Amino acid sequence: MNNEICIDVRDLKIHFPARGGLLGKVNGWTKAVDGVSFAVNKGEVFALVGESGCGKTTTAQAIMGLIKPAAGSIQINIGDRDGHNQKNWDKLNAAGRKELRKQMQIVFQDPYSSLNPRMTVRSILEEPLIIHKMGSQKERAARINELLEQVGLAKSYLDRYPHEFSGGQRQRIGIARSLATSPKLIVADEPVSALDVSIQAQIINLLQDMQSRYNQTLLFISHDLAVVRHIANRIAVMYHGKIMEMGSDEQIFSGSLHPYTKLLLKSVPTISVPQSSEKMAADKKGIAADTSSTGSKAQNEVCELLTPEPRGCSFYPRCPVKSQQCLNETPPLKDFGGGHLCACFKSMQE
Amino acid sequence: MSCLTVNNLEVTFSIQKQKARAVRGVSFELGNTRTLGIVGESGCGKSITALSIMRLIPSPPGKIEAGEVHFEQKNLLSLPERQMRSIRGKRISMIFQDPMTSLNPVFTCGNQIAEALRLHKGMSRDEAAAFGMELLSEVGITEPLRAWSSYPHQLSGGMRQRIMIAMALSCSPRLLIADEPTTALDVTVQAKLLELLKKLQDTKDMSMILITHNLGIVAGMAHDVIVMYAGEVMESAAARELFDSPLHPYTVCLLKTIPAVERREERLTVIPGSVPTLLDIPDGCPFHPRCPQAVERCKKEHPPLHNVNGSKRLVRCHLYE
């Protein structure tokens, strides 16, 4: 892995209009992504983690050029044959955008709705090749066979329709489709959360194999910390449109600093208990204590992005270690060494 | 003392003139104030088992072919519908996976909670409202008045599920069936709700069936566990026993495939193949095409549930004959 940067996101802001009333007047803005900056190195598996509504998918969509950001910049640096690298969606013409899209592909969460039910597997896999004018008909057929083999599906499946496959098989088709144009960057948006546990492992292994075989950059979006721990090199934890903590897998999972990351890690139900059942009981109590200390506000759970932006830390209402400072000021992302960033006043004091 | 006994439950669904056997001879016993976890992947029959206990299987296409469900000295499967209705929601209640689709969007939450109270307990509108608000604060809603008059879409997923729990508990049931109660929710909300369910069960003297595909949840909540696959019980054991020393190859594989948050593995163990569809269940042991320890015999002979070491532990595998 080299340290060349593949995606450079700076101060990204994406706001959605909140409409109301009879005429659908815009009466507010939902700040889905609110000042997010991070850089993903080439050949790295970078994970965006967070609960629903935290803005992780929106961030990914902006990187893919599917949503126009309100502010901030996204630089994409995928070496193409022309040699000029830095790409920015805004500054490209249609042809340039298409060329860039060829280099980056997405795997969606729901394998049931992301495949066209009226297309056969063959036409699903051929479509990206036709759009990007890659190869003659013969070459395309060969490429399709190759793709199927790579994701572990039989050639006899080529003329079948999506409904004939199980969830895991459909996700394999989705992955094969994303690989068709040999992209340098794959965005996987919750690729395993709709799958059964026994299938989940198969798909994760497949994604890992493909990533290392083609030295792709993988942006992995998930709410499942156990899956992320397994696959990611670096992780950014998001909450309410902001990055709370960012670091390597060791830094996040063994030395997490932010109270939100700690809460997330504590909340994952685990089965490995025998030697530490007491510890787990203590952890559970910890959660209960967190709840009761903050429990006076039931709207804790409500991810109300629409409420007037409170000053200060967005995690304040749920935070077990909050102070007056957190209410008044927004904590900046501070470097704790070794690329470990955390936005929390408490951890800065310690 | 047992709260619920299920004997040899058989449920089929007619699909395209074929009979899919969704539940095949499931038996289990649930003790008073105990929690039973039913684990399995999608399509293994765990939800159908629960719905059959409540007699909520859509019929047709579903049909309960055989079996007995004993609850409070009655066989629920042979009760007339009228009597069943007085048990449903009163003595046995259920929480469903998706709190958005299981609440009625055109009535306020209060209206829906009051419905059960007025129906089963004969309360007046005011009595039901007073009692219902108390319930809401019990399930951790701090502004019961606001929640009472809200419509489901005005509340978050966690709040909606709390409303569902309040509704399920309104008539102090003896048995609560929770079908994937936290699957649609975020992990932090999930942790809070599981804590709540545990606390309520302790104070309310109630038994619980917890259906989930998440083994971590079962490990933290259940006393006993049954593992289902293709409509059958593959293994049945006390929860700690099952997780410390799984016996059935399916259970062993299932536990190995789950990535752990505590450590990073180089590669996840994989169960090859996929779950069989119900119309096409393999002969012999249903797990044999995917089983790493399968032998010739597993392809032909269907293994019975073997009692291991004379304990209450049951395993459906020839290895433990």
Side-chain angles (χ1 to χ4, degrees):
Chain A
M1 196 190 306
N2 49 15
N3 273 340
E4 223 177 320
I5 286 172
C6 174
I7 313 172
D8 190 9
V9 177
R10 287 218 186 122
D11 206 26
L12 181 71
K13 287 185 182 167
I14 300 168
H15 299 173
F16 292 113
R19 292 173 193 278
L22 188 63
L23 299 171
K25 203 177 68 177
V26 176
N27 52 15
W29 293 89
T30 305
K31 295 183 176 171
V33 178
D34 194 17
V36 162
S37 304
F38 61 90
V40 181
N41 296 329
K42 276 193 179 163
E44 178 178 58
V45 183
F46 188 87
L48 283 176
V49 192
E51 297 182 282
S52 48
C54 73
K56 51 193 194 298
T57 298
T58 312
T59 307
Q61 285 178 335
I63 291 172
M64 295 295 290
L66 300 172
I67 293 181
K68 223 176 140 98
S73 76
I74 301 168
Q75 294 277 329
I76 293 156
N77 178 9
I78 305 174
D80 53 9
R81 54 198 146 75
D82 307 343
H84 51 81
N85 292 333
Q86 295 285 348
K87 294 280 174 71
N88 190 325
W89 287 111
D90 288 339
K91 292 171 190 144
L92 289 173
N93 57 13
R97 282 162 176 267
K98 193 170 166 187
E99 182 58 32
L100 188 51
R101 287 237 162 84
K102 187 173 145 187
Q103 302 291 339
M104 47 204 294
Q105 291 291 325
I106 190 163
V107 179
F108 294 97
Q109 167 171 9
D110 185 355
Y112 293 84
S113 58
S114 59
L115 299 176
N116 189 335
R118 298 173 63 167
M119 285 165 81
T120 61
V121 173
R122 186 193 304 277
S123 42
I124 287 171
L125 295 182
E126 195 172 19
E127 196 181 25
L129 298 173
I130 293 174
I131 289 174
H132 292 291
K133 301 195 176 69
M134 295 171 82
S136 65
Q137 201 166 6
K138 230 182 186 170
E139 284 164 345
R140 288 202 300 266
R143 176 76 182 138
I144 291 167
N145 282 337
E146 191 187 316
L147 285 170
L148 266 194
E149 200 187 307
Q150 275 174 1
V151 298
L153 291 175
K155 275 180 200 158
S156 56
Y157 290 162
L158 269 178
D159 292 306
R160 296 210 200 164
Y161 289 89
H163 73 266
E164 296 175 70
F165 296 97
S166 67
Q169 286 172 323
R170 280 180 226 210
Q171 202 56 298
R172 283 172 194 270
I173 297 170
I175 292 172
R177 174 177 62 181
S178 75
L179 293 173
T181 57
S182 316
K184 291 285 183 310
L185 168 67
I186 300 258
V187 175
D189 188 1
E190 304 259 14
V192 294
S193 33
L195 303 177
D196 273 320
V197 276
S198 75
I199 309 301
Q200 177 176 300
Q202 296 174 3
I203 298 295
I204 292 172
N205 282 351
L206 176 66
L207 278 170
Q208 257 180 332
D209 289 347
M210 295 299 137
Q211 190 269 336
S212 58
R213 186 186 301 175
Y214 299 111
N215 194 26
Q216 287 163 336
T217 309
L218 180 62
L219 180 63
F220 191 87
I221 297 163
S222 180
H223 68 279
D224 188 334
L225 288 156
V227 170
V228 165
R229 159 122 234 203
H230 181 73
I231 197 167
N233 306 124
R234 280 202 310 137
I235 295 137
V237 181
M238 287 184 71
Y239 186 75
H240 272 220
K242 288 199 175 75
I243 290 182
M244 291 285 145
E245 188 168 4
M246 181 154 67
S248 69
D249 61 315
E250 269 313 298
Q251 285 163 344
I252 297 290
F253 285 98
S254 309
S256 60
L257 295 168
H258 200 284
Y260 179 59
T261 316
K262 288 177 188 163
L263 175 69
L264 274 182
L265 286 171
K266 254 194 304 197
S267 305
V268 179
T270 66
I271 40 177
S272 48
V273 194
Q275 68 280 31
S276 61
S277 60
E278 279 158 31
K279 183 182 156 284
M280 190 175 108
D283 279 356
K284 281 262 163 73
K285 269 192 201 120
I287 293 174
D290 290 351
T291 334
S292 55
S293 64
T294 60
S296 54
K297 294 263 181 296
Q299 61 264 39
N300 280 347
E301 288 174 10
V302 194
C303 226
E304 275 178 298
L305 289 167
L306 247 186
T307 46
E309 188 72 2
R311 279 179 305 149
C313 178
S314 50
F315 188 58
Y316 179 82
R318 297 171 71 182
C319 186
V321 294
K322 59 190 161 195
S323 66
Q324 192 57 37
Q325 190 185 14
C326 311
L327 187 59
N328 299 326
E329 294 170 53
T330 307
L333 256 184
K334 191 174 162 274
D335 198 337
F336 283 80
H340 191 177
L341 306 174
C342 177
C344 179
F345 288 122
K346 197 78 182 176
S347 24
M348 286 171 204
Q349 288 156 15
E350 278 164 10
Chain B
M1 252 295 277
S2 71
C3 164
L4 179 87
T5 317
V6 173
N7 281 330
N8 223 357
L9 185 69
E10 289 268 348
V11 184
T12 61
F13 279 79
S14 336
I15 304 169
Q16 295 155 7
K17 292 182 186 155
Q18 281 176 292
K19 264 193 177 167
R21 297 176 66 199
V23 177
R24 304 189 293 157
V26 166
S27 305
F28 60 84
E29 204 180 310
L30 172 63
N32 266 336
T33 70
R34 302 275 285 182
T35 300
L36 172 76
I38 304 184
V39 207
E41 298 180 89
S42 51
C44 72
K46 53 192 193 304
S47 293
I48 300 297
T49 305
L51 288 172
S52 309
I53 295 170
M54 295 283 272
R55 284 208 0 224
L56 286 173
I57 298 283
S59 171
K63 192 175 175 221
I64 299 174
E65 300 276 349
E68 291 159 10
V69 176
H70 290 289
F71 176 78
E72 297 187 329
Q73 290 96 44
K74 280 177 229 136
N75 179 6
L76 298 185
L77 297 185
S78 59
L79 281 186
E81 178 59 29
R82 222 185 138 78
Q83 278 186 43
M84 190 63 213
R85 226 178 281 161
S86 68
I87 290 176
R88 245 183 245 137
K90 188 177 181 191
R91 307 303 296 153
I92 308 179
S93 359
M94 194 155 174
I95 308 172
F96 298 92
Q97 169 169 358
D98 185 352
M100 192 64 226
T101 50
S102 43
L103 287 169
N104 191 331
V106 300
F107 292 106
T108 61
C109 294
N111 218 318
Q112 298 180 56
I113 298 171
E115 187 186 358
L117 289 170
R118 297 180 68 195
L119 199 71
H120 288 304
K121 291 194 158 179
M123 289 185 178
S124 72
R125 207 176 284 269
D126 292 343
E127 280 168 349
F131 188 82
M133 303 274 198
E134 250 171 66
L135 271 174
L136 287 183
S137 36
E138 212 174 326
V139 296
I141 292 176
T142 43
E143 290 176 90
L145 198 65
R146 214 183 90 186
W148 186 264
S149 51
S150 312
Y151 288 89
H153 75 268
Q154 294 173 307
L155 303 172
S156 68
M159 292 275 277
R160 285 200 285 259
Q161 202 58 299
R162 283 175 199 266
I163 302 272
M164 283 298 291
I165 294 173
M167 211 184 283
L169 297 181
S170 60
C171 299
S172 326
R174 264 196 77 200
L175 170 63
L176 177 70
I177 303 177
D179 187 357
E180 305 265 9
T182 56
T183 308
L185 305 173
D186 282 321
V187 274
T188 54
V189 181
Q190 165 173 298
K192 283 184 201 166
L193 277 178
L194 292 177
E195 199 59 41
L196 171 70
L197 276 177
K198 229 180 191 173
K199 195 187 90 199
L200 289 172
Q201 191 190 11
D202 285 348
T203 53
K204 302 247 172 199
D205 190 28
M206 154 180 93
S207 308
M208 183 150 79
I209 296 180
L210 181 69
I211 297 167
T212 176
H213 68 277
N214 188 329
L215 289 157
I217 293 179
V218 169
M221 299 281 292
H223 303 104
D224 306 290
V225 182
I226 60 180
V227 179
M228 287 185 71
Y229 187 78
E232 284 184 310
V233 175
M234 297 308 249
E235 182 162 2
S236 150
R240 239 4 315 147
E241 259 180 2
L242 186 92
F243 291 111
D244 289 349
S245 57
L247 293 182
H248 197 286
Y250 176 60
T251 320
V252 175
C253 289
L254 207 54
L255 287 171
K256 271 195 204 153
T257 50
I258 304 168
V261 78
E262 298 92 349
R263 64 188 173 276
R264 182 178 179 132
E265 279 133 285
E266 264 322 300
R267 214 172 159 70
L268 291 175
T269 319
V270 157
I271 310 180
S274 57
V275 183
T277 63
L278 293 176
L279 285 172
D280 196 19
I281 297 171
D283 288 337
C285 173
F287 187 57
H288 86 256
R290 307 175 73 189
C291 182
Q293 299 181 56
V295 291
E296 206 47 43
R297 187 179 170 198
C298 305
K299 293 180 190 165
K300 295 181 193 115
E301 205 180 314
H302 184 247
L305 272 174
H306 291 296
N307 210 317
V308 178
N309 307 335
S311 66
K312 285 183 91 180
R313 195 158 183 187
L314 300 170
V315 184
R316 189 181 296 281
C317 181
H318 290 311
L319 288 173
Y320 298 95
E321 208 167 0

